[in-house]
Every structure is written in structure tokens, then in C-alpha cells.
Amino acid sequence: MKYVKLFCIFVGLVCAFSSRAELDISGYGSIIAGKTLGTVDDPINLGERRDEVFTADFYDVGQYNNDITFKAESILAVQGVYTISSELSITAQLVAKGVDDFEPEFDWYYVTYRPNTDWTFMAGRRNIPMYYYSEFSEVGYAYPWMRPPANLYWWQITQFNGFHAAYSFQLGSLNHTITAFYGDERDEENKEMQYYEVLYGNTEVYRVDEFWTNIMGLNWVIEGDFFDIRMVYFTNDRDRTRYFNDGSTSVSTPFSQTFMGIGGAVHWQAWTLLFDWNFVDYDDTRGTEFPTYLISLVYNWDTFQPFIAYSKADHERTKVPTEDLEEHKLWSFGVRWDFHSNVAFKFQFDHFTDQGYAPTQWNYHGDARVISMGIDFVF
Amino acid sequence: MPALHHKVVRQVVLTCVSLFAVTASYAEIAVVVHPANNSTLDKNAIERIFMGKNTNFDNGRAALPINAAKGSATREVFNSAVIGRSDAQVNAYWSKLLFTGKGTPPKELGSDQDIIATVSANEDAIGYIDAAAVTSAVKVVATFQ
């Protein structure tokens, strides 16, 4: 509640002291309920059965099991943009998530400087522009599905503090925007990494800190009238510290990570094709790689958008070749219905198949079939 | 019986056609600018301005696009005929840009009269209204239905 008060004070001050009160308030949200449909052999506690568990939000560990819950991925967000001048503005997003018992936090805050229509500079806290949907993955209203495929959007870090410089230009009928970014994220008490410690029964670990530093890269977006393509490349350094109950700590061997990808959307008559291909590469001793992709087809029929999506994630080691690692695929079917001018109802069925290698317990997710439904809105 | 069946089908088809014709004629829209705006505005140029891809008219001045209210008949016709996408698709497009700080959707005005008042008072404004509501205070650059 501390943040709500701070935000109210911020809004009050802005209104009181600004002669022109150039504050624009908008927001988005999702109220979604869901559950998994059955049970599976527990991949880690061998010989036991457990509920199918589907992770809808890896970063926040928002999960569905056999009990209906609204908390896995419901979210409410308010954005305030305070325009100081035609070149300068301040943006903040106060976000309350079901996984945090709706305790609001300032997830985004940044200053934007636009000296002319070609250049945009931003500094502050924003999402890392990784996958095609990474920057707006929580704005459910912006895409047809319930969520971007959770088996790709699985990273323990999604945000960073940093700088962005974007240059926009037009070539023929195509709009280009090239964005360079640089920043750091030092996440103390990382929720997702702590979840894995608990999952594997490492009860002696009570805290994991995850550091992604020197995050440095480029996005290149090309937009035509009927399509857009986005390319991404960035590198960063990776460090991790685990804290044990006996007071000791362990620091993992640092390595650097490279992320690249190409994704986009093509609109053809009533059809929309959405795709994203990505490749993550570590310079560690194992030569770790994560090739992932997504392909989805949407039919736009009046206020209805039935869709189908397929996504696939793999884990490879090129220096010590083995297939005994993590691998999974996800089929999603559903429909979005825009029954109101700024509210959409969605219904989705997901079938997650864990293709990880059982003897090494890299199949730790387990198969899951999940039904979810709810509304996404903007205001 | 086949004759009766044929008659019923014909009646249904005719009813549908006439309903469609009524809807279409009601929903003709006019894209309007200030009478002093001399820029060239074809369908593609209008689309690019309303999608935030062009921020200027071809006369060099900054363009100020104005949308009709969400859910209005004119907005639905504009999105479908000019943008080539449904209201939902266009709203989704803008929500992606708005909440990542990469764009701001056009301002909205509640009525054709408000749009005429703003466009006639601002040389940089561009809007769309029901073609039947056009007055001499604004210049029509295109019509769509």
C-alpha cells in the first residue's frame, strides 16, 4: 500500500504544481481463472502422482494446478505519463499481480526525451526487449492468446535498468526503427530460481540472487502496411549467488549469454500469422544453447479471433553433446471475443508436452492440460 | 415443394441484401481536414497518419489525427475501410505501443460536431465523420464506406 500512497502523492503533486496538468492516465488488466485437468507421475518424486502443473508465468511463478485460481496471471496496471514539454515526458506503471496478492509495485518508470520525430531516448526501468512479445507480455489486450507461449517466456529475468536510443526512418513504404540498449539487472531473491531449489528439494537453499549485467544489444523493427518484422541481438554477463541456511554462499561460474531472434506478424485478408524464432547461446564450458520458436495462426472474424499456436523449446550442449536435457512443446487453441470496445473475453486450452529426459529429471515440468478463461481490458 | 423452398431462399437473400444496403449507405464516412490544408492525402497516406507511421503531412506540418469515439459506427467503417483491420485489431495495436512508451493513439472526440469544430479550428487536424454531417467549415479529402 506504500506504493499506492506514493503514486497518489505523485499524481496530486503533478496536478497541483503543473499549470497545464499534462498528465495522461491509462491502464490495462486481465482477470483470468484457470485449472489443469488431471494428474501425472511426479517427474522428481518418483513413484508419486501429483496434479498437472502448468506454469503460465515463469518469472513470477504463476501456476495452475487442479484447483481453480484467479491468481496465476490476473493483473491490474495503471500508467501515468506526465508530459513536461513536447520533447520530455516521465512514465510510470504501477502493477498489481495476483501472484503477489495484488500488492502494487512500480514495475516501469522511465524518462523519455524526443528531440525530434526521428530520435527517442529513454532512461529508467523497462522490460528487456528479448522476444517479440517481451516488452508487452503482460498487456493481454495486445495479442489474441491468453499469454505469449509460456514455454518460451521462461526466463528468470525480464526487466532491467538502463538506457535506450531509438532512431526511426522511412525507406519507401517501410518504417524502420533501430534501438540500441544498455543496462543491468541485479535481482535479489529471484522468485523463479528459488522455485527450482524448492522443486528439487534443496531445502538448505533459502535465497538465490540472479545478476544479468552489461545487457547490451539492438532491436530492428521493420513495419509495412500489412506486416512487421523485428530482429533482436544482445549479450549480457550472467552471475548467480545461492545462500544456504548454514550461512555459507556459493557463487556460480560467470559466463556471458547471447540472445538473437526474428519475429513478426503478417496480416493477409482475414488471417494473421504470428511467429518468433529465437536462439540463446552461453559461452560456458558445456556450450549451452536454447533454440526456441513459436508459430500461430489467427482468423479475424468480426469481433471473434479463433487461434491456434504451437511453440517449441529445446536445450542443447554443443561441447558435451547429449540429448538427455530439457525439451518441451505446447499446443494452444482458443478464441478471443471483443464483446466491448475496450474489453475482450478469452478462452484457451493448452496442451503442454514435456519431452525432457526422465532419468536426468530434465522433464521436471511434467505434462499438463489446462483450461483458462477471462477478460483483458485497457482504459 | 422445391418451388416454395426456392421462394423462401430468394426472400431471405433479398432481405439480407437490402439490410446490407441500408447499413452501407448509412455508414459512408468523409475524411476531413482544415480548408487551408493543401497536402495530398490518398488512402495510404491517411492510414499511415492514423497508425502513427507518418507524423507529418506531405506539406511538412505535423499531423494531428482525431479518432471518433470507441465503438462508434464511423470508427468501425474507418478501421475496416482505411486501416483494413477490425476495431479490436487496431485497439490491440495501440495498446502494445502505448504501454511500451513507443506511441500514443490518436485523440478521441465524442461527436461529429466536436470533430468538425476541432478540425475547422486547427490547420494540422485530420478526422473523419459521417458523410451526411459534413459542413463548409471543413474540407473533404476522401470518402469511404
Side-chain angles (χ1 to χ4, degrees), chain A residues 67-237:
Chain A
D67 301 319
I68 291 177
T69 180
F70 281 90
K71 284 194 167 180
E73 50 188 340
S74 292
I75 181 173
L76 298 165
V78 178
Q79 172 169 286
V81 181
Y82 176 48
T83 305
I84 298 164
S85 69
S86 57
E87 292 89 30
L88 199 60
S89 63
I90 297 167
T91 305
Q93 267 185 33
L94 189 64
V95 182
K97 295 176 184 173
V99 285
D100 299 326
D101 291 327
F102 295 102
E103 183 79 17
E105 283 181 30
F106 274 112
D107 272 3
W108 296 60
Y109 41 87
Y110 57 93
V111 58
T112 305
Y113 176 59
R114 237 178 223 122
N116 52 53
T117 54
D118 300 336
W119 283 98
T120 303
F121 299 93
M122 293 179 181
R125 184 159 184 79
R126 294 172 50 85
N127 281 17
I128 304 173
M130 302 172 79
Y131 298 93
Y132 183 86
Y133 293 90
S134 286
E135 285 181 285
F136 56 104
S137 61
E138 290 178 336
V139 187
Y141 190 85
Y143 43 78
W145 328 293
M146 198 65 78
R147 67 196 78 84
N151 68 326
L152 308 193
Y153 290 70
W154 56 356
W155 291 100
Q156 58 272 27
I157 295 291
T158 58
Q159 295 198 294
F160 74 134
N161 303 308
F163 302 92
H164 304 247
Y167 179 65
S168 299
F169 57 97
Q170 197 176 330
L171 281 180
S173 64
L174 301 180
N175 279 54
H176 296 251
T177 302
I178 297 177
T179 307
F181 52 93
Y182 179 82
D184 282 351
E185 175 69 341
R186 298 164 191 277
D187 191 30
E188 296 178 352
E189 301 183 32
N190 185 274
K191 218 169 165 179
E192 184 178 343
M193 298 321 297
Q194 181 62 33
Y195 164 73
Y196 293 129
E197 299 288 355
V198 173
L199 186 71
Y200 281 102
N202 300 332
T203 51
E204 71 279 16
V205 177
Y206 71 93
R207 168 179 163 179
V208 183
D209 292 351
E210 179 84 3
F211 305 107
W212 288 24
T213 53
N214 294 314
I215 302 167
M216 180 165 55
L218 288 172
N219 267 205
W220 184 358
V221 176
I222 304 171
E223 286 177 290
D225 293 331
F226 296 101
F227 74 95
D228 60 270
I229 300 282
R230 171 188 173 276
M231 288 166 281
V232 54
Y233 177 88
F234 73 83
T235 63
N236 67 276
D237 297 327

Side-chain angles (χ1 to χ4, degrees), chain A residues 126 135 173 175 224-225 341, chain B residues 44 48 53 91 98 100 102:
Chain A
R126 294 172 50 85
E135 285 181 285
S173 64
N175 279 54
D225 293 331
S341 60
Chain B
N44 189 248
R48 294 180 65 83
K53 291 172 182 168
N91 290 345
L98 177 62
T100 55
K102 294 180 177 178

Side-chain angles (χ1 to χ4, degrees), chain A residues 361-372:
Chain A
Q361 296 191 331
W362 274 108
N363 64 337
Y364 60 100
H365 302 287
D367 291 356
R369 294 157 302 150
V370 58
I371 294 273
S372 51

Side-chain angles (χ1 to χ4, degrees), chain A residues 24 26-28 79 93 108 110 114 117 122 126 132 135-136 139 141-143 170 173-175 219 223-228 267 272 300 302 305 336 338 341-342 378-379, chain B residues 43-44 47-48 51-56 62 69-72 75-76 82-104 107:
Chain A
D24 289 308
S26 54
Y28 59 90
Q79 172 169 286
Q93 267 185 33
W108 296 60
Y110 57 93
R114 237 178 223 122
T117 54
M122 293 179 181
R126 294 172 50 85
Y132 183 86
E135 285 181 285
F136 56 104
V139 187
Y141 190 85
Y143 43 78
Q170 197 176 330
S173 64
L174 301 180
N175 279 54
N219 267 205
E223 286 177 290
D225 293 331
F226 296 101
F227 74 95
D228 60 270
H267 306 277
T272 304
N300 301 286
D302 194 30
Q305 290 181 303
R336 169 183 172 141
D338 281 78
S341 60
N342 59 340
V378 290
F379 60 90
Chain B
K43 182 182 155 192
N44 189 248
E47 177 191 344
R48 294 180 65 83
M51 293 296 267
K53 291 172 182 168
N54 273 6
T55 51
N56 291 68
K70 279 196 182 75
S72 63
R75 183 147 160 180
E76 192 181 331
V82 182
I83 312 290
R85 299 191 207 172
S86 67
D87 284 13
Q89 286 177 284
V90 176
N91 290 345
Y93 166 86
W94 278 112
S95 64
K96 160 186 169 179
L97 298 180
L98 177 62
F99 296 114
T100 55
K102 294 180 177 178
T104 309
K107 298 277 183 216

Side-chain angles (χ1 to χ4, degrees), chain B residues 18-74:
Chain B
S18 61
L19 275 175
F20 179 74
V22 167
T23 310
S25 66
Y26 167 76
E28 187 180 28
I29 58 160
V31 177
V32 295
V33 296
H34 189 275
N37 188 334
N38 59 358
S39 51
T40 309
L41 288 160
D42 61 7
K43 182 182 155 192
N44 189 248
I46 297 165
E47 177 191 344
R48 294 180 65 83
I49 286 170
F50 274 86
M51 293 296 267
K53 291 172 182 168
N54 273 6
T55 51
N56 291 68
F57 289 114
D58 69 356
N59 64 11
R61 293 179 65 107
L64 176 70
I66 299 165
N67 257 331
K70 279 196 182 75
S72 63
T74 49

